[in-house]
Amino acid sequence: MRFLPTAIAGAFIVEADPREDERGSFARTFCAKLFADQGLPSHYPQCSISVNHKRGTLRGLHYQKEPQAEAKLVRVTRGTVFDVAVDLRTESSTYLQWTAVELNAVQRNALAIPAGCAHGYLTLEDNCELYYHLSKDYAPDLAGGIRWDDPLFAIDWPFAPIVIGARDAAYPSYRQEIVR
Ligand SMILES: Cc1cn([C@H]2C[C@H](O)[C@@H](COP(=O)(O)OP(=O)(O)O[C@H]3O[C@H](C)C(=O)[C@H](O)[C@H]3O)O2)c(=O)[nH]c1=O
């Protein structure tokens, strides 16, 4: 595995390092020691799969509030997505910054996102599936979200969503959220 820094402190693109032979290839996708060396959680008690039928499906941007703020390791197991993280850690040197990476099932790359960041993605083709490692249990009562098109972040999405859930479309702007 290779850890490539991103615009967000503590967030990394995790590139696979496949070992190929005549049968195919083998690659490590997670290693507790290597993750800990990068300051990333080494324990992920929950894993999830997200299935998306249509190109242009946007989910996010979501986060969980403390004490259940979760770090995520996100990878694409089918298709290609534009994957985004936004730093909402007020003490971070990259507070309010965002980073994006194209994750796909051919490169088998992943995005490691620290706790305190929001995460979302836009599918770039039909039939995209994502696989998540999550460092905290699901806590819907502590769910938070920011608008995909919040001008405060000005995320440079490849195109506007075609499919988006009502909750994701209705998030207030981030500043409003702070004021509430
Ligand atoms: C996240 C989650 C959801 N659910 C149930 C709750 C609903 O019945 C159904 C769909 O949930 P939701 O609409 O919150 O799913 P997404 O909109 O894909 O949410 C995810 O999308 C963004 C991009 C993320 O980074 C998070 O992983 C997560 O917030 O699955 C669970 O049972 N466990 C879970 O951990």
Side-chain angles (χ1 to χ4, degrees), residues 65-119:
K65 298 167 186 170
E66 290 299 358
Q68 288 299 101
E70 84 273 48
K72 297 174 184 167
L73 177 63
V74 182
R75 70 179 57 254
V76 167
T77 49
R78 184 176 179 183
T80 306
V81 309
F82 181 82
D83 202 67
V84 176
V86 178
D87 193 348
L88 301 179
R89 299 167 295 179
T90 54
E91 75 289 354
S92 166
S93 61
T94 54
Y95 177 45
L96 301 183
Q97 299 301 309
W98 60 273
T99 190
V101 57
E102 189 171 288
L103 299 179
N104 63 70
V106 172
Q107 283 180 271
R108 299 183 177 90
N109 52 352
L111 184 62
I113 304 166
C117 294
H119 171 249

Side-chain angles (χ1 to χ4, degrees), residues 46 48 50 59-60 62 72 119-121 132 134 138 167-168:
Q46 287 191 351
S48 302
S50 178
R59 295 186 190 234
H62 304 158
K72 297 174 184 167
H119 171 249
Y121 60 85
Y132 293 84
L134 300 156
Y138 178 52
R167 176 195 56 178
D168 291 348

Side-chain angles (χ1 to χ4, degrees), residues 35 49 63 65 158:
F35 269 62
I49 291 178
Y63 60 95
K65 298 167 186 170

